[in-house]
Amino acid sequence: NPMDGGCSVIFHVLLLMVSSKLSYSFFIFKGPFNEAASKNRQILPGGSKEMSSLQAGYFDPHFARIFEGESYVSPNQVRRRYMMEEAKKNLSKAFLPSSGEKKPCGLGSYYGTIGGPVPFFSAQSKPKEKYEPPGKNLYTNPGKKGTGYGYANITIGKQFPHSSDLYDAAKLNNKKENEEHHRLLKGTAFKLNLYPREYFDTNPYMSEKPLPPIKKAEKKEKVGNPFKPSSPGKKAGGMKAGTFDPYPSHSADPYVVKLKSPSSKSAKVFHPPGGPKSRPIESIMALNVKR
């Protein structure tokens, strides 16, 4: 009834609310959902299985094929069928040469080739002119045999003549020179008759005059012992302990000449102007609030 549309909607809403409360209370106060899950042993797989050719080693109870109902195809059978179909297209028998192919019998042979041997690559030697050996070099006499050591008549010049050498030639020559030397001497050796003296002439440094008396060495006056202060030297410090004076004397002269202060009438002192002064600034938050 269209007039009762509002009442029917309200009725359906109330019915849904009551049913939802009943279902919620039913699930709360009914008890556990699955009582068997909290009793006795749980999750028993039935023991471990070992891989074997028996069906017990697999998960499925029976062996399942990937494709059910497919047939086995042999690749050799398919290949033979294809060759038979291609052979039916031939109009006559296959071409066979009159004789079999020729195989080469060795390296460099042309047996079995179509063109045969190539004359350019033949191993026959080309015709050459007769070899005439060149003439001999110009020479006067044949070379002398021998190495040069211990062989005679091999050098360009004449052979050196042999000269005998006495065993004591040096001793005999020295004896002849000594005899010749004594033959040229006249008289005996020169000797002096001045036995007490040692020189040919009188000694120029020798004097028979009496010597002057010996001068006595002058005695030098001894200087006194070096001066030693009664107390050790003083070390320099902040209290002027190492100086002679207790403290440096005061000097009235200034170390730096003071400049005269400028008079107000003659020249004014320059004073720089002050920098920028701070002033109150509103914060960014206050500006945004006002906007």
Side-chain angles (χ1 to χ4, degrees):
N1 191 356
M3 297 297 291
D4 298 335
C7 295
S8 63
V9 170
I10 294 169
F11 177 77
H12 284 293
V13 169
L14 292 171
L15 185 61
L16 288 171
M17 290 173 67
V18 171
S19 63
S20 64
K21 287 182 178 180
L22 289 172
S23 62
Y24 180 70
S25 63
F26 174 75
F27 283 112
I28 290 175
F29 300 103
K30 188 177 180 180
F33 176 72
N34 189 5
E35 293 183 2
S38 61
K39 295 179 180 179
N40 301 327
R41 297 179 180 179
Q42 307 293 326
I43 311 177
L44 297 175
S48 61
K49 296 180 181 180
E50 295 181 359
M51 194 69 176
S52 65
S53 59
L54 300 177
Q55 193 63 35
Y58 298 94
F59 293 99
D60 297 335
H62 60 88
F63 182 76
R65 299 176 63 88
I66 299 174
F67 299 104
E68 292 290 342
E70 82 276 12
S71 60
Y72 176 73
V73 178
S74 177
N76 292 333
Q77 190 177 2
V78 175
R79 196 181 301 110
R80 286 172 185 172
R81 286 177 184 176
Y82 176 75
M83 291 172 65
M84 290 171 66
E85 290 176 1
E86 292 293 327
K88 291 178 182 179
K89 297 178 183 179
N90 295 333
L91 300 175
S92 60
K93 295 180 180 180
F95 171 75
L96 296 174
S98 58
S99 59
E101 60 181 4
K102 297 179 180 180
K103 298 180 180 180
C105 60
L107 184 65
S109 65
Y110 294 93
Y111 182 78
T113 58
I114 302 172
V118 182
F120 182 77
F121 292 104
S122 65
Q124 273 188 340
S125 59
K126 296 180 181 179
K128 298 179 181 178
E129 297 181 358
K130 189 178 180 181
Y131 175 74
E132 293 182 0
K136 296 180 180 180
N137 294 330
L138 180 66
Y139 63 92
T140 55
N141 289 326
K144 296 180 180 180
K145 296 180 181 180
T147 58
Y149 181 75
Y151 290 84
N153 299 324
I154 296 178
T155 57
I156 300 172
K158 294 181 179 180
Q159 189 70 16
F160 293 104
H162 176 69
S163 58
S164 60
D165 190 9
L166 298 175
Y167 183 73
D168 294 334
K171 188 177 180 180
L172 295 173
N173 292 336
N174 190 14
K175 186 179 179 180
K176 289 180 180 179
E177 291 179 358
N178 195 11
E179 290 177 354
E180 183 67 18
H181 172 67
H182 284 287
R183 189 181 63 83
L184 297 174
L185 291 178
K186 295 180 178 179
T188 58
F190 176 74
K191 293 181 181 181
L192 288 174
N193 295 326
L194 304 173
Y195 170 70
R197 295 186 180 182
E198 299 178 357
Y199 305 100
F200 296 102
D201 300 329
T202 56
N203 188 0
Y205 302 101
M206 191 174 180
S207 177
E208 295 178 357
K209 294 180 181 180
L211 295 175
I214 298 173
K215 294 181 180 180
K216 295 181 181 181
E218 296 180 357
K219 292 183 180 181
K220 295 182 179 179
E221 295 180 0
K222 290 183 178 181
V223 183
N225 295 331
F227 170 75
K228 291 182 180 180
S230 59
S231 60
K234 298 178 181 179
K235 296 180 181 179
M239 59 179 178
K240 309 297 179 183
T243 57
F244 293 100
D245 299 332
Y247 199 79
S249 57
H250 176 68
S251 59
D253 298 333
Y255 184 71
V256 180
V257 180
K258 294 183 179 180
L259 298 175
K260 294 180 181 180
S261 59
S263 60
S264 59
K265 295 180 180 179
S266 60
K268 293 181 179 181
V269 179
F270 172 74
H271 294 285
K277 298 179 180 179
S278 61
R279 54 186 177 180
I281 299 173
E282 292 186 359
S283 65
I284 297 172
M285 187 180 292
L287 289 173
N288 292 332
V289 169
K290 289 182 179 180
R291 288 176 186 174

